[in-house]
Amino acid sequence: MENCIFCKIIAGDIPSIKIYEDELVYAFLDIAPINPGHVLVIPKEHHESASTIPEATAGRMFRIGSRIGIALKRELDYDAYNLHLADGAAAGQVVMHAHLHVVPRGVEDNFHWNWRQLPYADDAARAAVAEKLIRRLANGPQNND
Ligand code: AMP
Ligand code: ZN
């Protein structure tokens, strides 16, 4: 994909610090880490959204992301890690080549996701939301429309 910064990284046209590579995925250090060791795992094939990544590649991204998380704990003494993927600009996606963040975390690393927890208006409102999602998903796992 022309003009995609992550495709250029995979091609070697833009430098990166590679952590892992196989036939499906490429993993490298994020240039501006939340904590040192923050890694990005990307599909070698260009996909803007995670929703179009073939299942084998998406599975590999998650598996390698987890293995990198374990490596961060064992080798760099972190306590835990977050796997994070922003799908779409409104979700915070800046680079439009899907990528899984592996964010190393320490008990006192002073980083907060600002996770909020809103109530539903009532049970009917909650049920209506669930019903829409269930109907869509009943069309099968490959339905990404
Ligand atoms: P997102 O906001 O989820 O799209 O995250 C994009 C991430 O890509 C950010 O964490 C950036 O620091 C990272 N990033 C952008 N350009 C580069 C680069 N050339 N090398 C490594 N990481 C990069
Ligand atoms: Zn790309």
Side-chain angles (χ1 to χ4, degrees):
M1 186 77 169
E2 257 174 77
N3 289 328
C4 170
I5 184 173
F6 285 177
C7 282
K8 287 181 180 166
I9 281 178
I10 292 163
D13 296 338
I14 290 179
S16 68
I17 299 178
K18 181 169 84 175
I19 299 300
Y20 175 85
E21 179 178 16
D22 62 29
E23 77 282 13
L24 297 177
V25 305
Y26 186 89
F28 57 106
L29 289 183
D30 193 298
I31 204 165
I34 287 174
N35 283 314
H38 180 163
V39 168
L40 301 176
V41 184
I42 62 178
K44 283 190 163 174
E45 208 172 79
H46 180 88
H47 291 271
E48 178 171 327
S49 167
S51 65
T52 61
I53 299 173
E55 197 164 327
T57 306
R60 185 72 57 85
M61 287 170 67
F62 198 83
R63 189 79 203 111
I64 293 303
S66 303
R67 284 186 61 198
I68 291 168
I70 298 294
L72 288 164
K73 289 170 64 175
R74 302 277 189 272
E75 300 294 333
L76 295 175
D77 285 338
Y78 282 105
D79 300 305
Y81 59 94
N82 289 106
L83 296 180
H84 171 82
L85 189 148
D87 203 303
Q93 185 177 7
V94 173
V95 177
M96 292 302 166
H97 179 131
H99 49 281
L100 182 65
H101 292 261
V102 187
V103 183
R105 301 300 308 278
V107 172
E108 292 181 9
D109 67 2
N110 208 26
F111 177 71
H112 305 284
W113 289 105
N114 290 322
W115 198 277
R116 70 177 178 189
Q117 296 189 290
L118 299 175
Y120 282 94
D122 51 35
D123 287 355
R126 185 172 56 185
V129 167
E131 196 185 311
K132 285 182 179 171
L133 296 176
I134 290 165
R135 201 181 331 119
R136 170 67 55 155
L137 290 168
N139 292 332
Q142 301 307 329
N143 181 8
N144 294 322
D145 313 346

